[in-house]
Amino acid sequence: MHAVVVMILQRLALGVLTLFVVSLVIFGATELLPGDLASSLLGQSATPETVAALRRQMGLDLPAPVRYWDWLTGVLQGDFGVSLATRRPIADMLSARLGNTVFLALYAAAIAVPLSLILGVLAALWRNSIFDRVANAGALSAISFPEFFVAYILIFLLAQSGYFPSMTRLSPAMSLGDKLYVTFLPALTLTLVVTAHMMRMTRAAIINLMASPYIEMARLKGLSPLRIVLRHALPNALAPIINVIALNLAYLITGVVVVEVVFVYPGLGQLMVDSVSKRDIAVVQAIALIFASAYVLLNLTADVLSTLTNPRLMRRK
Amino acid sequence: MTDRSHHTGMTRRGLLKGATALGAAGLILPASYRKAQAAPNKGGTFRIGLGHGNSTDGYDPGLWDNLYAQVFAAARHNQLIEVDADGQLIPEIAESWESPDGQTWIFRIRQGVTFHSGKNLTVEDVIASLNHHRGEDATSAIKQFFDPVQDIRADGQNVVVTLDAPNGDFAYLMSDYHLAIMPSADGRIDPSSTDGCGPYIVESYEPGVQASLNRNPDYWKSDRAHFDRVEILAILDSAARLNALMTGQVELIDQIDPATIGMLEARGVANILSIPGNAHYVFPMDARAAPFSDNNVRLALKYAIDRQQMVDTILGGHGAVSNDNPIGPANRYFYADMEPKSFDPDRARFYLREAGMDSLTVDLHVADAAFSGAVDAGALFAETAAQAGININLIREPNDGYWDNVWMQKPFVASYWGGRAVEDHMFTTGYAAGATWNDSFWSHDRFNELLVQARSEVDEDLRREMYQEMQRIVSFEGSVIIPMNNNFVMATATNVATPEQISANWNLDGFRCVERWWFA
């Protein structure tokens, strides 16, 4: 177990470094964008005087390195600061949105991961059968359509007929059942979008192993095909599958802004887009850190899990 | 589209006294609206889905800039003066107002009004609310309108405002949506507070998502605010807005894509309201820069645009042709009989020759940030102008940063105006020499002279003449092409009832749908 702990610590240290670089890049990129928060808040009605006054109030007249340093020291003390635009603490703004985003990601993953594993295993088992072809074709067409198109089709079929709401309105007082009901369509859309990738990786990884001598041995022993796949092939195919699942989970957290817009889902993506267009750098930075952390942590988890599934890696000195 | 007569019902004296003579104008509305004129029912939850609203919206009245902020503000705040459905000024927190000379304005403050917090509204609160937009450190978008204000002071139950020069229309400024009356402490309002004296009390608000408000049980207007509860949702995607209305999740939506109006009507689940107002789309030209410095070139371009086609295709018919006139049919001194400019390639060529040119090539910078359909409008313009020997290079700019990097930076661009209830506001804001938003950098001596004269002119007929001459100058010598007035288009669920007349002053019944409408 010692090797794994060392690996986790090393990777966490690297992760912190990654986050630092990400924050620097994001800050630099928003600096390069034309205009700033003061001018975009005032929009068409900005006059040089009011923009200057607003800049003074918000501290935007300070040089960029000074503003970055202030932000960095704040974050290191656990203080994300206040949104420049609304003066609300960023931590408050983010917590509800982050909760919504994670909820939707987990909901979609809870459907998509088992579904794609089962479909993948079955497709590998009945390779080149009708089932295999239909599952492949279905998953690939779902992924080939743009997300918003899938979403509109689902709204047309399931919302306009009154089965599910087309718009997601969440309130803290909702029961879990209600929440699952109102967020069903966005979750289903995301499921359709991510299933193909995971399913095809599962299928490919297993089929790849089916040609190995030890599988042939198992087959010669007279084991049933299902048992061969589940007991002998799948454990060895887990490493690539876990990696693909981690990648898709990260996507579910960071890349769903289109689905959020179509279903009016109050998640982090929309907040990020709003904040970028208004140049509310403090909020952009905080969200970028969350997204980067999600990638770092999920990749770390994937690496740890694939190491654990491979005894050879565990004993390496 | 309408049987409206223009708003001539108001005399200057009536305006000064805050009289509420009702104009005779009426809008054509769907038949169901005409029937729903019984006494308004009380109750229900009114849910509004708006194509605006950002996570960066806040409570500071000086920074309200989109329809979401405006409707949300109208739901919780009052102003000194309200613009009613006919475009007349009526008392709100100011019980009455008068000005002996147009330079000193006295607003009598209503007694017995309380804020949601229970605090009594005082003269000091009003002064602090106005001062929030004024002075060196003010960050308000309407700061410049307070430049002529020399002093604001209390006098018993009155607020007295002194200007540096007479202005007969000053009372109109007090109806501006930024001027919410908020409670003060030590002479300052708290711009991060929701507290107001308006019809609904904020229960919860998440910027860019939704706001929930409950009826203010102590609201001083007894004949307004009929809903028990109002929920305002930000639904940025236009298909999502339509879906929300069709599946009964909201009762009112704005910004409807003209292409979908027919389908929505055919379904019979919604009523379309199309309200002609003063809002207009514009193509300003930099009058300082060649070739636009020559009025012949500007006239050539004005005759090379097919206005009717723009109204038909860009607005889907929900609008009207404008004769390069920023003053609209909802204004008092609108010059309706001005010689129209039809699409006339020969005439455009004639003006080109006058300018000493055989052909002309100009760059037009557009983005849909300017107005929805601006890119298509630019393409249409290029198409018709080509027939007059004018080559318009359409340059598509990004929406992001459009107001910073393109508008008032490039010589020929697209833009929009919400329109103003008062001629002087419109001209002072966008056409006076050196005005901050004079986006064509245009300066015309006679126009500027008239602008100052008309402001303090007391003779109604003379004043009308002056404003009409100004409209003529802007139309034929100005540097802004104004092809069309866009209607305010909205859709409601069939159970929503409205008064017979809906305000053309701003969108959504002058933002006041929350307190003027009810469930049938």
Side-chain angles (χ1 to χ4, degrees):
Chain A
M1 275 322 251
H2 181 67
V4 173
V5 173
V6 169
M7 185 185 89
I8 293 178
L9 290 178
Q10 274 176 350
R11 297 290 297 272
L12 279 179
L14 275 174
V16 170
L17 188 65
T18 312
L19 294 185
F20 173 71
V21 174
V22 165
S23 78
L24 213 56
V25 170
I26 297 281
F27 189 86
T30 30
E31 282 298 306
L32 289 180
L33 290 174
D36 65 4
L37 178 71
S39 57
S40 64
L41 272 187
L42 290 163
Q44 192 198 24
S45 53
T47 66
E49 283 168 55
T50 45
V51 169
L54 200 56
R55 269 191 197 136
R56 261 200 312 282
Q57 277 185 13
M58 292 174 167
L60 291 176
D61 50 343
L62 300 171
V66 175
R67 279 182 285 129
Y68 181 74
W69 179 250
D70 286 349
W71 174 82
L72 190 65
T73 48
V75 168
L76 290 178
Q77 293 160 25
D79 176 14
F80 278 101
V82 295
S83 155
L84 291 172
T86 59
R87 309 259 153 212
R88 291 165 70 206
I90 289 176
D92 291 1
M93 283 171 71
L94 293 190
S95 58
R97 298 279 188 128
L98 178 62
N100 290 344
T101 291
V102 170
F103 176 79
L104 182 59
L106 288 179
Y107 189 5
I111 305 176
V113 173
L115 182 72
S116 43
L117 283 182
I118 291 172
L119 286 178
V121 168
L122 291 181
L125 198 58
W126 298 323
R127 189 166 19 143
N128 297 333
S129 68
I130 294 288
F131 174 84
D132 183 22
R133 280 158 209 268
V134 169
N136 264 316
L140 283 177
S141 15
I143 204 178
S144 310
F145 288 124
E147 283 164 54
F148 69 87
F149 184 74
V150 175
Y152 285 147
I153 295 284
L154 289 179
I155 287 179
F156 179 69
L157 294 177
L158 296 175
Q160 293 201 348
S161 47
Y163 295 119
F164 292 96
S166 68
M167 188 174 66
T168 318
R169 294 192 57 198
L170 295 171
S171 70
M174 265 180 170
S175 71
L176 182 65
D178 284 347
K179 263 178 113 170
L180 290 177
Y181 172 69
V182 298
T183 52
F184 179 70
L185 287 186
L188 186 59
T189 309
L190 290 174
T191 301
L192 289 175
V193 170
V194 297
T195 299
H197 195 191
M198 294 190 283
M199 182 201 114
R200 301 218 6 122
M201 184 52 94
T202 309
R203 178 181 178 276
I206 291 176
I207 286 177
N208 200 22
L209 285 170
M210 294 303 266
S212 325
Y214 81 97
I215 296 286
E216 201 168 344
M217 178 64 204
R219 205 177 287 144
L220 289 173
K221 277 196 301 191
L223 294 181
S224 74
L226 186 64
R227 192 175 162 79
I228 293 174
V229 167
L230 291 184
R231 291 281 301 168
H232 296 262
L234 191 58
N236 280 315
L238 275 179
I241 297 174
I242 288 172
N243 270 310
V244 167
I245 291 178
L247 215 57
N248 276 293
L249 285 183
Y251 168 79
L252 285 177
I253 289 179
T254 61
V256 299
V257 65
V258 173
V259 173
E260 284 180 12
V261 168
V262 172
F263 291 105
V264 202
Y265 191 88
L268 280 179
Q270 188 59 48
L271 185 62
M272 176 97 163
V273 170
D274 282 357
S275 306
V276 170
S277 70
K278 291 284 181 186
R279 314 282 187 263
D280 196 345
I281 297 180
V283 179
V284 175
Q285 292 275 58
I287 300 177
L289 282 190
I290 290 177
F291 284 174
S293 313
Y295 265 100
V296 168
L297 289 177
L298 283 167
N299 273 316
L300 174 61
T301 316
D303 285 355
V304 171
L305 286 179
S306 24
T307 312
L308 289 179
T309 62
N310 191 337
R312 276 173 302 183
L313 290 177
M314 293 281 291
R315 312 228 185 276
R316 193 177 52 184
K317 278 286 160 202
Chain B
M1 188 68 212
T2 73
D3 57 0
R4 65 163 57 248
S5 55
H6 42 235
H7 294 284
T8 50
M10 176 156 48
T11 64
R12 187 170 167 74
R13 188 142 303 274
L15 164 68
L16 296 183
K17 286 189 176 155
T20 59
L22 291 175
L27 300 168
I28 289 182
L29 295 173
S32 58
Y33 283 81
R34 296 246 181 234
K35 281 184 221 131
Q37 292 308 316
N41 293 323
K42 299 275 173 192
T45 298
F46 188 43
R47 294 165 299 178
I48 309 172
L50 298 177
H52 299 264
N54 277 309
S55 333
T56 47
D57 292 343
Y59 288 126
D60 185 342
L63 298 178
W64 295 334
D65 65 342
N66 63 56
L67 190 64
Y68 190 98
Q70 288 154 343
V71 173
F72 185 35
R76 63 187 199 273
H77 291 298
N78 274 176
Q79 289 135 222
L80 276 186
I81 295 175
E82 177 183 350
V83 179
D84 76 359
D86 296 306
Q88 315 286 332
L89 295 186
I90 59 172
E92 196 158 46
I93 292 304
E95 223 168 46
S96 64
W97 56 94
E98 59 181 345
S99 174
D101 52 4
Q103 193 161 5
T104 308
W105 285 81
I106 302 158
F107 299 90
R108 190 171 177 81
I109 304 306
R110 193 177 293 279
Q111 300 292 291
V113 176
T114 53
F115 289 104
H116 301 157
S117 55
K119 179 186 180 307
N120 252 316
L121 186 149
T122 64
V123 172
E124 283 70 37
D125 296 327
V126 173
I127 293 176
S129 300
L130 299 184
N131 278 337
H132 180 66
H133 304 273
R134 185 175 164 244
E136 187 80 356
D137 290 331
T139 54
S140 170
I142 55 163
K143 186 180 184 176
Q144 55 164 350
F145 291 112
F146 281 89
D147 285 348
V149 174
Q150 285 186 327
D151 180 47
I152 301 180
R153 65 187 167 84
D155 175 19
Q157 202 193 321
N158 298 334
V159 169
V160 181
V161 180
T162 317
L163 309 179
D164 57 10
N167 180 351
D169 291 327
F170 182 73
Y172 264 103
L173 176 60
M174 293 300 133
S175 71
D176 189 287
Y177 63 86
H178 293 97
L179 294 179
I181 305 301
M182 293 169 72
S184 68
D186 304 325
R188 284 182 164 277
I189 59 165
D190 174 4
S192 62
S193 148
T194 67
D195 200 9
C197 52
Y200 295 92
I201 300 173
V202 179
E203 181 189 274
S204 67
Y205 174 46
E206 198 188 330
V209 184
Q210 63 170 322
S212 306
L213 305 98
N214 294 306
R215 191 177 192 283
N216 175 4
D218 300 323
Y219 194 39
W220 63 274
K221 295 182 194 172
S222 53
D223 58 340
R224 293 281 186 88
H226 309 294
F227 304 111
D228 286 339
R229 188 176 161 84
V230 172
E231 296 177 352
I232 311 171
L233 313 173
I235 310 181
L236 303 184
D237 183 48
S238 68
R241 263 197 316 284
L242 272 180
N243 277 319
L245 181 71
M246 286 194 296
T247 55
Q249 296 179 85
V250 296
E251 281 82 32
L252 167 66
I253 59 172
D254 75 321
Q255 280 192 9
I256 299 158
D257 185 347
T260 59
I261 290 176
M263 283 180 267
L264 196 57
E265 275 174 332
R267 285 223 170 188
V269 294
N271 290 326
I272 306 285
L273 301 179
S274 184
I275 314 292
N278 290 338
H280 50 277
Y281 295 155
V282 298
F283 295 104
M285 303 168 275
D286 187 344
R288 301 167 305 180
F292 306 114
S293 45
D294 186 340
N295 191 41
N296 286 313
V297 171
R298 307 201 292 248
L299 277 172
L301 282 162
K302 285 174 182 175
Y303 281 104
I305 192 166
D306 190 339
R307 292 155 203 266
Q308 189 57 48
Q309 194 188 14
M310 288 244 176
V311 170
D312 292 343
T313 52
I314 305 299
L315 300 177
H318 289 275
V321 163
S322 170
N323 190 7
D324 302 313
N325 190 353
I327 304 304
N331 282 110
R332 282 170 297 169
Y333 303 124
F334 174 57
Y335 192 178
D337 307 328
M338 193 156 55
E339 171 202 344
K341 296 190 199 75
S342 52
F343 171 52
D344 191 341
D346 294 335
R347 203 144 175 189
R349 277 180 205 281
F350 166 78
Y351 283 113
L352 268 193
R353 277 197 302 278
E354 288 290 292
M357 301 177 185
D358 291 329
S359 68
L360 171 67
T361 300
V362 289
D363 291 343
L364 174 60
H365 300 258
V366 291
D368 277 339
F371 55 85
S372 125
V375 177
D376 294 341
L380 215 56
F381 192 5
E383 200 65 36
T384 52
Q387 298 174 37
I390 299 172
N391 177 23
I392 295 183
N393 275 333
L394 201 62
I395 298 176
R396 197 173 172 162
E397 300 281 354
N399 284 337
D400 196 32
Y402 183 80
W403 301 113
D404 281 324
N405 308 314
V406 181
W407 182 66
M408 293 189 76
Q409 305 291 326
K410 308 282 191 216
F412 191 22
V413 302
S415 177
Y416 77 100
W417 283 95
R420 295 290 185 274
V422 182
E423 291 76 2
D424 182 51
H425 265 189
M426 189 67 239
F427 285 146
T428 309
T429 319
Y431 296 87
T436 329
W437 303 332
N438 181 341
D439 52 10
S440 59
F441 303 95
W442 179 68
S443 172
H444 191 285
D445 292 341
R446 172 71 181 151
F447 176 86
N448 289 314
E449 198 178 296
L450 280 169
L451 186 60
V452 177
Q453 275 177 19
R455 209 173 280 157
S456 46
E457 177 55 58
V458 283
D459 185 292
E460 183 75 7
D461 291 336
L462 266 177
R463 204 161 187 240
R464 170 180 306 281
E465 252 170 51
M466 288 175 174
Y467 278 119
Q468 298 202 334
E469 186 182 344
M470 282 190 261
Q471 289 172 59
R472 215 189 141 69
I473 293 174
V474 169
S475 179
F476 287 91
E477 294 171 60
S479 195
V480 180
I481 302 171
I482 309 177
M484 52 191 156
N485 284 95
N486 53 307
N487 284 4
F488 298 121
V489 182
M490 51 204 118
T492 67
T494 45
N495 62 342
V496 174
T498 70
E500 185 143 0
Q501 175 131 0
I502 292 177
S503 175
N505 184 33
W506 289 104
N507 207 346
L508 301 181
D509 207 355
F511 312 138
R512 303 264 185 163
C513 55
V514 281
E515 73 164 45
R516 289 181 183 166
W517 297 7
W518 65 92
F519 284 127

